[in-house]
Amino acid sequence: MKNLSRTLAIVALFFSLTIFSQKLTNLSSLLISKELKENANAIVRLSEKTIEIKNFDKLIVKEKRIVTVFNELGKKHIKAYQHYDNDTRITKLTATIFDIFGKKTKKYSKKDFQDVSAVDGGTLYSDARLAYLEHTPSSYPYTVVFESEYKNNTTAFIPQWFPMEGYNVSIEKSTYTLNNPLNIEYRKRELNFKEYLIEQSTNNSDLAYKLTNQPAIKYESNTIRFNEFTPNVSIALNLYALKGVKGAAKDWNEFGQWMYNSLLRNRNELSPSTKAKANDLVKGIETKEERIKKIYEFVQNKTRYISVQVDIGGWEPIAANKVDAVGYGDCKGLTNYTKALLDAIGIESYHVIVFAKDKRNIDKDFTSMQGNHMILNIPNNGKDIWLECTSQTNPFGYLGDFTDDRDVLVITPEGGIIKRTPSYKENNLQLIKANIELKESGSLNASLIRKSYGIQYDNKFHVENYTPKELEKYYKSYVWDYNNNLELDKTSLTNNKNNVEFVEKIGLSVNEFATVSNTNYLFRVNLLNKTTHVPKRYRKRKRPLKIHRSFTDKDEYTIKLPAGFNVSSLPNKKEIETKFGIYKVSIEKINDTSIIYKREFSLQEGVYPKEDYKPYRKFIKSIAKYDNLRIELIKQ
């Protein structure tokens, strides 16, 4: 033991002497404070961004980043990359690597950066490219100094300031400066400054922000998006340029007028033969909704989605006659094509800008270039119809979780209007009705019907195209992965698009489901919809609780008991009612050979105070416990 202590002391002395023998520079990670190292995979020593507005159609962006990386997880925070396209010219791109002592070990110039196309496989045309640093560290920690500068003729997108860059990364210093020597009018949006020490200064032409010594934030589940509780700044010019197109807008009405007149108008021309075909399609159909549906189904059958992102093509749709000729387009092109066909049959419709995937609103109080997707809106006597024109499988008028329940910008000839897309929260429903036959051996056979509506429909209807092998994996490894020895005997899937209802009729068996002895028979009663996940426990919760979607599940199982066994006793009804939702379970005897199990579980979406996280977790934990309830049968 003494020898071990002596060895450790020698090692510590050697390490100390090594440190003092090195000349530490201000980039040495050894000089970082303990507070900033706590919970941090990386530390942004400096993030310095300067935007120079040279004119309404010219800007220069300069950036310097110094990031110390402590482990593999911290590498993503280096951000030594630069996007560019035909409208963007990179004038500086360098990176320098430093070791733990702040000693320079490697330098990269612009030619050393990897240069690749910045598009996915679904994009046919794009001028978007990415220059990025590819560096493999020999040890941790290390520090990267990255500097970039680019010139851009598009000023519709002024770089935003997000000084806090994610979970488990500390910020030693982050600055943002806007230089506007021509005093071009602009608007700014400052969010979530209250709980952070943000220094700011402004005058007639310049704007500056600074955040220093911000410790890392640990991740918490079931909460709001990171940018919803951390500080950020957005800037929008009242006079701007987008890929060579001049624009002017200070509110959504003016923005809509500009977009309609500059990007959308005169893009809906179709040939006389195509117009005639559209009218032939709806001939004899009297109702407006059925006429729209006929056109929508025509578009679904004729076209496919291909992204087009060249120059103004990222915002201006492909002309309708071109989409008609080639049979493909991006979200803008396909939406515009559908609109052109509706124009041809005399039905008015409007382009819609929306944030897709992430459930996020267009900010109605801050006019700027927002959104990442386009859909179509058709006024219909107060019951608007919304069409997702990129989907070949969506039911008519169904948006799903891609664009549902959020504020969007509707572009009309008169200007922009903020509207809200439909919500499925009141009809996000799953129903299971099953007949289960327990065998004396402990195995079971079951037949069930599962019906899904709302977003639960969206989560499932795609499986109708699965192969038998894919279906087996889906049910055994995903839906009912908590049932060992489960085998599918038969499946029948029906996608009722008219009712937006997905129906699964399934026969299955499970071997060794119950525990059987000479005197009793023990089995879990919830076979088909068991809650298995319990939210993580946090001793000191920091963030609000967010339940992302409302839903209701209703289950009813008729269970035939195995021959020779009787029910000894049944548990009382269970009912839990909270602000988050309800949970109800009842198990009743039908006769000497059968029981019926009924379960209802619903959650209410919303944002709740952080103090509610503990009772919410308790609620879910109770459900998980009761969903694992087992019933004992006694041998006759």
Side-chain angles (χ1 to χ4, degrees):
M1 193 69 180
K2 288 182 179 180
N3 290 335
L4 177 61
S5 299
R6 187 180 296 111
T7 301
L8 291 175
I10 292 171
V11 170
L13 178 61
F14 175 78
F15 184 69
S16 299
L17 290 173
T18 301
I19 291 175
F20 286 114
S21 67
Q22 298 281 345
K23 183 179 180 181
L24 299 183
T25 73
N26 59 353
L27 293 180
S28 170
S29 59
L30 298 172
L31 302 177
I32 299 172
S33 68
K34 179 182 177 182
E35 291 75 18
L36 290 181
K37 288 182 178 178
E38 188 174 359
N39 301 318
N41 296 319
I43 295 178
V44 178
R45 316 285 292 277
L46 175 67
S47 174
E48 184 179 79
K49 184 171 288 186
T50 302
I51 297 105
E52 298 180 21
I53 309 296
K54 295 296 187 181
N55 209 325
F56 80 93
D57 61 351
K58 186 173 294 184
L59 62 78
I60 298 175
V61 179
K62 300 176 182 179
E63 184 173 15
K64 182 176 182 179
R65 291 178 61 81
I66 304 175
V67 181
T68 295
V69 181
F70 290 111
N71 53 49
E72 181 76 18
L73 295 174
K75 288 175 65 176
K76 64 182 179 181
H77 298 293
I78 296 172
K79 297 184 179 179
Y81 58 79
Q82 183 58 60
H83 289 274
Y84 71 100
D85 54 26
N86 292 342
D87 203 39
T88 305
R89 185 166 65 92
I90 299 175
T91 54
K92 184 177 183 179
L93 200 63
T94 65
T96 309
I97 314 300
F98 297 85
D99 66 12
I100 186 174
F101 304 108
K103 180 183 176 181
K104 183 168 70 175
T105 59
K106 194 170 183 61
K107 182 160 182 144
Y108 296 91
S109 63
K110 183 180 177 181
K111 64 180 178 59
D112 299 317
F113 281 65
Q114 304 295 312
D115 193 310
V116 297
S117 176
V119 297
D120 57 29
T123 300
L124 182 61
Y125 303 118
S126 177
D127 60 350
R129 297 195 66 80
L130 174 70
Y132 70 95
L133 174 68
E134 183 71 62
H135 174 74
T136 302
S138 58
S139 63
Y140 294 98
Y142 67 97
T143 298
V144 179
V145 177
F146 170 69
E147 294 185 76
S148 71
E149 179 180 315
Y150 67 87
K151 296 180 179 180
N152 200 322
N153 295 324
T154 287
T155 56
F157 300 97
I158 303 297
Q160 297 168 287
W161 187 49
F162 294 98
M164 297 172 64
E165 301 182 3
Y167 294 104
N168 299 107
V169 54
S170 298
I171 309 298
E172 192 169 338
K173 183 179 180 181
S174 177
T175 67
Y176 179 91
T177 304
L178 180 74
N179 295 326
N180 181 25
L182 298 182
N183 290 326
I184 298 173
E185 288 188 0
Y186 67 87
R187 288 161 287 107
K188 63 179 180 179
R189 179 186 62 185
E190 300 172 346
L191 295 178
N192 309 319
F193 275 28
K194 187 176 180 181
E195 296 183 10
Y196 303 91
L197 297 176
I198 306 291
E199 299 178 38
Q200 54 183 305
S201 61
T202 183
N203 55 40
N204 291 334
S205 61
D206 298 333
L207 188 65
Y209 298 92
K210 182 168 72 171
L211 174 68
T212 57
N213 297 318
Q214 172 62 48
I217 292 178
K218 293 176 69 175
Y219 173 79
E220 292 181 343
S221 64
N222 302 85
T223 192
I224 58 179
R225 293 186 304 118
F226 189 81
N227 292 339
E228 291 182 293
F229 65 84
T230 55
N232 59 86
V233 175
S234 297
I235 304 291
L237 302 182
N238 288 349
L239 182 66
Y240 53 86
L242 174 66
K243 302 288 186 178
V245 179
K246 185 177 180 180
K250 61 180 182 296
D251 57 41
W252 284 123
N253 182 64
E254 291 184 359
F255 184 90
Q257 291 178 20
W258 166 75
M259 191 162 190
Y260 177 82
N261 290 318
S262 299
L263 302 179
L264 303 176
R265 191 171 64 175
N266 301 326
R267 307 296 293 174
N268 62 341
E269 292 299 319
L270 292 171
S271 68
S273 62
T274 299
K275 290 180 180 180
K277 185 173 184 178
N279 281 278
D280 286 342
L281 283 171
V282 299
K283 192 174 183 178
I285 301 175
E286 295 183 359
T287 67
K288 178 180 179 180
E289 187 167 330
E290 286 299 317
R291 288 161 65 87
I292 298 168
K293 182 179 179 182
K294 194 70 175 178
I295 293 296
Y296 181 66
E297 290 174 345
F298 170 77
V299 173
Q300 285 186 304
N301 292 328
K302 177 181 173 62
T303 65
R304 60 193 176 96
Y305 173 82
I306 292 289
S307 178
V308 178
Q309 305 288 333
V310 178
D311 292 327
I312 195 65
W315 287 87
E316 181 182 68
I318 307 169
N321 54 9
K322 184 173 181 180
V323 174
D324 186 54
V326 300
Y328 62 76
D330 61 7
C331 64
K332 302 172 296 299
L334 296 177
T335 297
N336 187 64
Y337 179 55
T338 308
K339 173 180 167 52
L341 291 168
L342 292 174
D343 288 344
I345 64 170
I347 294 178
E348 188 176 38
S349 61
Y350 304 120
H351 303 84
V352 179
I353 303 299
V354 58
F355 280 111
K357 293 185 180 179
D358 187 16
K359 195 176 178 183
R360 177 181 169 192
N361 295 322
I362 294 289
D363 189 338
K364 60 185 177 182
D365 298 320
F366 184 71
T367 303
S368 63
M369 298 295 293
Q370 297 183 37
N372 57 14
H373 189 55
M374 182 176 280
I375 59 177
L376 195 65
N377 169 253
I378 303 111
N380 187 36
N381 298 320
K383 296 182 179 179
D384 287 13
I385 296 170
W386 304 81
L387 299 181
E388 172 52 69
C389 301
T390 63
S391 174
Q392 295 175 303
T393 57
N394 270 20
F396 168 71
Y398 179 76
L399 296 180
D401 64 3
F402 198 56
T403 55
D404 76 311
D405 195 23
R406 64 203 72 187
D407 289 342
V408 299
L409 179 67
V410 179
I411 308 296
T412 76
E414 294 75 32
I417 303 170
I418 298 294
K419 287 189 176 184
R420 194 163 186 87
T421 55
S423 168
Y424 302 102
K425 66 177 70 175
E426 300 301 326
N427 191 40
N428 192 17
L429 176 65
Q430 176 184 276
L431 305 175
I432 296 179
K433 196 162 188 177
N435 290 300
I436 300 170
E437 182 181 0
L438 299 175
K439 303 291 187 179
E440 295 176 63
S441 63
S443 64
L444 65 81
N445 293 328
S447 61
L448 67 110
I449 298 177
R450 183 166 75 162
K451 299 180 179 181
S452 301
Y453 308 86
I455 299 302
Q456 301 223 49
Y457 168 90
D458 199 24
N459 293 338
K460 302 186 183 79
F461 82 91
H462 62 279
V463 307
E464 70 171 325
N465 297 315
Y466 280 14
T467 64
K469 187 174 181 180
E470 289 170 333
L471 270 180
E472 184 175 15
K473 182 178 180 181
Y474 169 72
Y475 287 115
K476 293 173 67 173
S477 302
Y478 176 69
V479 179
W480 296 308
D481 59 337
Y482 47 81
N483 286 318
N484 296 325
N485 307 314
L486 183 146
E487 296 296 332
L488 291 180
D489 299 325
K490 60 180 179 178
T491 59
S492 173
L493 309 179
T494 303
N495 184 3
N496 187 334
K497 291 187 177 184
N498 289 329
N499 296 331
V500 193
E501 174 192 62
F502 191 64
V503 180
E504 301 157 276
K505 295 182 180 179
I506 298 171
L508 59 85
S509 59
V510 183
N511 289 323
E512 300 178 359
F513 180 74
T515 302
V516 184
S517 69
N518 291 332
T519 58
N520 58 17
Y521 188 107
L522 190 67
F523 71 98
R524 174 170 43 82
V525 68
N526 187 349
L527 170 69
L528 301 169
N529 200 7
K530 180 183 172 185
T531 300
T532 57
H533 174 71
V534 176
K536 183 179 177 180
R537 181 185 178 190
Y538 297 97
R539 295 186 181 276
K540 294 182 179 180
R541 177 77 177 189
K542 300 273 182 76
R543 308 270 83 83
L545 163 69
K546 183 171 184 177
I547 299 174
H548 291 271
R549 288 203 176 269
S550 298
F551 72 85
T552 298
D553 286 357
K554 294 182 179 181
D555 311 312
E556 182 180 303
Y557 312 156
T558 299
I559 303 173
K560 184 179 180 182
L561 305 180
F565 288 90
N566 288 330
V567 175
S568 59
S569 64
L570 291 175
N572 295 327
K573 290 182 179 180
K574 182 75 171 180
E575 186 168 333
I576 309 173
E577 289 197 29
T578 71
K579 66 172 72 176
F580 318 112
I582 63 169
Y583 177 77
K584 298 177 182 179
V585 168
S586 66
I587 308 173
E588 297 177 354
K589 187 175 180 181
I590 300 175
N591 51 45
D592 288 342
T593 61
S594 300
I595 60 174
I596 187 167
Y597 169 83
K598 295 181 180 180
R599 173 185 183 270
E600 180 177 343
F601 174 31
S602 66
L603 274 184
Q604 297 299 318
E605 66 185 61
V607 178
Y608 301 84
K610 65 181 181 181
E611 291 78 14
D612 281 342
Y613 183 83
K614 185 175 181 179
Y616 168 73
R617 182 179 181 274
K618 181 180 178 182
F619 175 53
I620 301 301
K621 187 176 181 181
S622 298
I623 292 170
K625 181 179 179 180
Y626 212 77
D627 274 356
N628 204 39
L629 176 71
R630 297 173 187 272
I631 290 179
E632 183 181 42
L633 306 179
I634 303 299
K635 194 173 183 65
Q636 294 178 6

mmCIF file of all heavy atoms in Angstrom, residues 596-615:
data_model
loop_
_atom_site.group_PDB
_atom_site.id
_atom_site.type_symbol
_atom_site.label_atom_id
_atom_site.label_comp_id
_atom_site.label_asym_id
_atom_site.label_seq_id
_atom_site.Cartn_x
_atom_site.Cartn_y
_atom_site.Cartn_z
ATOM 1 N N ILE A 596 -63.481 -9.882 -18.724
ATOM 2 C CA ILE A 596 -63.303 -8.791 -19.683
ATOM 3 C C ILE A 596 -62.436 -7.706 -19.050
ATOM 4 O O ILE A 596 -62.643 -7.317 -17.888
ATOM 5 C CB ILE A 596 -64.662 -8.223 -20.152
ATOM 6 C CG1 ILE A 596 -64.445 -7.202 -21.273
ATOM 7 C CG2 ILE A 596 -65.463 -7.635 -18.992
ATOM 8 C CD1 ILE A 596 -65.731 -6.825 -21.999
ATOM 9 N N TYR A 597 -61.440 -7.268 -19.806
ATOM 10 C CA TYR A 597 -60.482 -6.234 -19.367
ATOM 11 C C TYR A 597 -60.723 -4.975 -20.194
ATOM 12 O O TYR A 597 -60.751 -5.024 -21.429
ATOM 13 C CB TYR A 597 -59.062 -6.753 -19.570
ATOM 14 C CG TYR A 597 -57.949 -5.728 -19.412
ATOM 15 C CD1 TYR A 597 -57.441 -5.402 -18.161
ATOM 16 C CD2 TYR A 597 -57.382 -5.131 -20.539
ATOM 17 C CE1 TYR A 597 -56.411 -4.485 -18.029
ATOM 18 C CE2 TYR A 597 -56.338 -4.218 -20.416
ATOM 19 C CZ TYR A 597 -55.862 -3.894 -19.162
ATOM 20 O OH TYR A 597 -54.828 -2.993 -19.027
ATOM 21 N N LYS A 598 -60.917 -3.839 -19.516
ATOM 22 C CA LYS A 598 -61.100 -2.560 -20.197
ATOM 23 C C LYS A 598 -60.088 -1.557 -19.666
ATOM 24 O O LYS A 598 -59.882 -1.465 -18.445
ATOM 25 C CB LYS A 598 -62.513 -2.028 -19.988
ATOM 26 C CG LYS A 598 -63.600 -2.869 -20.612
ATOM 27 C CD LYS A 598 -64.982 -2.258 -20.379
ATOM 28 C CE LYS A 598 -66.079 -3.117 -21.014
ATOM 29 N NZ LYS A 598 -67.428 -2.538 -20.789
ATOM 30 N N ARG A 599 -59.503 -0.831 -20.601
ATOM 31 C CA ARG A 599 -58.465 0.141 -20.241
ATOM 32 C C ARG A 599 -58.635 1.403 -21.069
ATOM 33 O O ARG A 599 -58.910 1.337 -22.270
ATOM 34 C CB ARG A 599 -57.080 -0.456 -20.492
ATOM 35 C CG ARG A 599 -55.889 0.475 -20.317
ATOM 36 C CD ARG A 599 -54.631 -0.269 -20.742
ATOM 37 N NE ARG A 599 -53.403 0.487 -20.561
ATOM 38 C CZ ARG A 599 -52.849 1.293 -21.476
ATOM 39 N NH1 ARG A 599 -53.454 1.456 -22.655
ATOM 40 N NH2 ARG A 599 -51.719 1.919 -21.238
ATOM 41 N N GLU A 600 -58.473 2.539 -20.427
ATOM 42 C CA GLU A 600 -58.462 3.821 -21.137
ATOM 43 C C GLU A 600 -57.324 4.674 -20.585
ATOM 44 O O GLU A 600 -57.178 4.824 -19.365
ATOM 45 C CB GLU A 600 -59.783 4.561 -20.961
ATOM 46 C CG GLU A 600 -59.811 5.912 -21.689
ATOM 47 C CD GLU A 600 -61.147 6.633 -21.575
ATOM 48 O OE1 GLU A 600 -62.159 5.979 -21.214
ATOM 49 O OE2 GLU A 600 -61.182 7.851 -21.856
ATOM 50 N N PHE A 601 -56.536 5.207 -21.490
ATOM 51 C CA PHE A 601 -55.398 6.050 -21.100
ATOM 52 C C PHE A 601 -55.358 7.238 -22.048
ATOM 53 O O PHE A 601 -55.331 7.072 -23.267
ATOM 54 C CB PHE A 601 -54.100 5.239 -21.183
ATOM 55 C CG PHE A 601 -52.835 6.031 -20.947
ATOM 56 C CD1 PHE A 601 -52.807 7.140 -20.104
ATOM 57 C CD2 PHE A 601 -51.648 5.650 -21.569
ATOM 58 C CE1 PHE A 601 -51.631 7.856 -19.893
ATOM 59 C CE2 PHE A 601 -50.465 6.359 -21.358
ATOM 60 C CZ PHE A 601 -50.465 7.466 -20.526
ATOM 61 N N SER A 602 -55.366 8.447 -21.485
ATOM 62 C CA SER A 602 -55.272 9.649 -22.317
ATOM 63 C C SER A 602 -54.297 10.626 -21.696
ATOM 64 O O SER A 602 -54.166 10.700 -20.466
ATOM 65 C CB SER A 602 -56.642 10.316 -22.486
ATOM 66 O OG SER A 602 -57.119 10.825 -21.262
ATOM 67 N N LEU A 603 -53.583 11.368 -22.557
ATOM 68 C CA LEU A 603 -52.686 12.436 -22.126
ATOM 69 C C LEU A 603 -53.136 13.745 -22.755
ATOM 70 O O LEU A 603 -53.666 13.769 -23.866
ATOM 71 C CB LEU A 603 -51.247 12.147 -22.550
ATOM 72 C CG LEU A 603 -50.375 11.284 -21.651
ATOM 73 C CD1 LEU A 603 -48.964 11.202 -22.210
ATOM 74 C CD2 LEU A 603 -50.332 11.816 -20.231
ATOM 75 N N GLN A 604 -52.907 14.852 -22.034
ATOM 76 C CA GLN A 604 -53.260 16.185 -22.515
ATOM 77 C C GLN A 604 -51.984 16.973 -22.795
ATOM 78 O O GLN A 604 -51.199 17.241 -21.885
ATOM 79 C CB GLN A 604 -54.110 16.925 -21.474
ATOM 80 C CG GLN A 604 -55.445 16.267 -21.198
ATOM 81 C CD GLN A 604 -56.317 16.198 -22.434
ATOM 82 O OE1 GLN A 604 -56.393 17.152 -23.200
ATOM 83 N NE2 GLN A 604 -56.979 15.058 -22.641
ATOM 84 N N GLU A 605 -51.779 17.321 -24.056
ATOM 85 C CA GLU A 605 -50.575 18.062 -24.418
ATOM 86 C C GLU A 605 -50.573 19.441 -23.786
ATOM 87 O O GLU A 605 -51.610 20.006 -23.441
ATOM 88 C CB GLU A 605 -50.477 18.197 -25.931
ATOM 89 C CG GLU A 605 -51.565 19.045 -26.563
ATOM 90 C CD GLU A 605 -51.479 19.031 -28.079
ATOM 91 O OE1 GLU A 605 -51.598 17.952 -28.688
ATOM 92 O OE2 GLU A 605 -51.307 20.120 -28.651
ATOM 93 N N GLY A 606 -49.367 19.995 -23.620
ATOM 94 C CA GLY A 606 -49.230 21.329 -23.056
ATOM 95 C C GLY A 606 -47.882 21.503 -22.387
ATOM 96 O O GLY A 606 -47.108 20.558 -22.240
ATOM 97 N N VAL A 607 -47.617 22.732 -21.989
ATOM 98 C CA VAL A 607 -46.400 23.064 -21.250
ATOM 99 C C VAL A 607 -46.792 23.332 -19.799
ATOM 100 O O VAL A 607 -47.670 24.155 -19.517
ATOM 101 C CB VAL A 607 -45.696 24.293 -21.852
ATOM 102 C CG1 VAL A 607 -44.452 24.651 -21.033
ATOM 103 C CG2 VAL A 607 -45.311 24.037 -23.312
ATOM 104 N N TYR A 608 -46.133 22.629 -18.879
ATOM 105 C CA TYR A 608 -46.455 22.696 -17.455
ATOM 106 C C TYR A 608 -45.232 23.187 -16.679
ATOM 107 O O TYR A 608 -44.090 22.996 -17.112
ATOM 108 C CB TYR A 608 -46.861 21.316 -16.941
ATOM 109 C CG TYR A 608 -48.048 20.694 -17.641
ATOM 110 C CD1 TYR A 608 -47.888 19.994 -18.847
ATOM 111 C CD2 TYR A 608 -49.324 20.786 -17.111
ATOM 112 C CE1 TYR A 608 -48.972 19.415 -19.489
ATOM 113 C CE2 TYR A 608 -50.419 20.198 -17.739
ATOM 114 C CZ TYR A 608 -50.235 19.518 -18.935
ATOM 115 O OH TYR A 608 -51.302 18.937 -19.571
ATOM 116 N N PRO A 609 -45.430 23.815 -15.526
ATOM 117 C CA PRO A 609 -44.288 24.267 -14.715
ATOM 118 C C PRO A 609 -43.379 23.105 -14.341
ATOM 119 O O PRO A 609 -43.813 21.951 -14.281
ATOM 120 C CB PRO A 609 -44.957 24.861 -13.467
ATOM 121 C CG PRO A 609 -46.363 25.157 -13.868
ATOM 122 C CD PRO A 609 -46.728 24.131 -14.897
ATOM 123 N N LYS A 610 -42.117 23.422 -14.089
ATOM 124 C CA LYS A 610 -41.143 22.374 -13.762
ATOM 125 C C LYS A 610 -41.557 21.576 -12.529
ATOM 126 O O LYS A 610 -41.221 20.396 -12.397
ATOM 127 C CB LYS A 610 -39.761 22.976 -13.570
ATOM 128 C CG LYS A 610 -39.647 23.933 -12.376
ATOM 129 C CD LYS A 610 -38.245 24.508 -12.259
ATOM 130 C CE LYS A 610 -38.128 25.444 -11.060
ATOM 131 N NZ LYS A 610 -36.779 26.024 -10.947
ATOM 132 N N GLU A 611 -42.320 22.224 -11.633
ATOM 133 C CA GLU A 611 -42.770 21.540 -10.413
ATOM 134 C C GLU A 611 -43.734 20.396 -10.724
ATOM 135 O O GLU A 611 -43.941 19.501 -9.891
ATOM 136 C CB GLU A 611 -43.448 22.546 -9.468
ATOM 137 C CG GLU A 611 -42.515 23.576 -8.848
ATOM 138 C CD GLU A 611 -42.143 24.710 -9.805
ATOM 139 O OE1 GLU A 611 -42.811 24.838 -10.859
ATOM 140 O OE2 GLU A 611 -41.201 25.459 -9.487
ATOM 141 N N ASP A 612 -44.321 20.432 -11.916
ATOM 142 C CA ASP A 612 -45.269 19.383 -12.292
ATOM 143 C C ASP A 612 -44.586 18.124 -12.823
ATOM 144 O O ASP A 612 -45.254 17.108 -13.044
ATOM 145 C CB ASP A 612 -46.240 19.902 -13.354
ATOM 146 C CG ASP A 612 -47.343 20.770 -12.767
ATOM 147 O OD1 ASP A 612 -47.551 20.698 -11.544
ATOM 148 O OD2 ASP A 612 -47.979 21.522 -13.524
ATOM 149 N N TYR A 613 -43.282 18.196 -13.048
ATOM 150 C CA TYR A 613 -42.605 17.036 -13.622
ATOM 151 C C TYR A 613 -42.671 15.828 -12.676
ATOM 152 O O TYR A 613 -42.930 14.702 -13.113
ATOM 153 C CB TYR A 613 -41.147 17.356 -13.950
ATOM 154 C CG TYR A 613 -40.429 16.208 -14.621
ATOM 155 C CD1 TYR A 613 -40.539 16.011 -15.989
ATOM 156 C CD2 TYR A 613 -39.665 15.300 -13.893
ATOM 157 C CE1 TYR A 613 -39.901 14.946 -16.615
ATOM 158 C CE2 TYR A 613 -39.029 14.235 -14.501
ATOM 159 C CZ TYR A 613 -39.156 14.062 -15.873
ATOM 160 O OH TYR A 613 -38.538 12.999 -16.482
ATOM 161 N N LYS A 614 -42.483 16.071 -11.406
ATOM 162 C CA LYS A 614 -42.480 14.968 -10.435
ATOM 163 C C LYS A 614 -43.842 14.270 -10.382
ATOM 164 O O LYS A 614 -43.905 13.032 -10.476
ATOM 165 C CB LYS A 614 -42.069 15.479 -9.052
ATOM 166 C CG LYS A 614 -41.913 14.389 -8.011
ATOM 167 C CD LYS A 614 -41.387 14.954 -6.701
ATOM 168 C CE LYS A 614 -41.209 13.856 -5.661
ATOM 169 N NZ LYS A 614 -40.677 14.400 -4.383
ATOM 170 N N PRO A 615 -44.970 14.998 -10.239
ATOM 171 C CA PRO A 615 -46.261 14.299 -10.265
ATOM 172 C C PRO A 615 -46.580 13.665 -11.614
ATOM 173 O O PRO A 615 -47.256 12.635 -11.672
ATOM 174 C CB PRO A 615 -47.278 15.392 -9.908
ATOM 175 C CG PRO A 615 -46.567 16.685 -10.084
ATOM 176 C CD PRO A 615 -45.126 16.417 -9.847
#
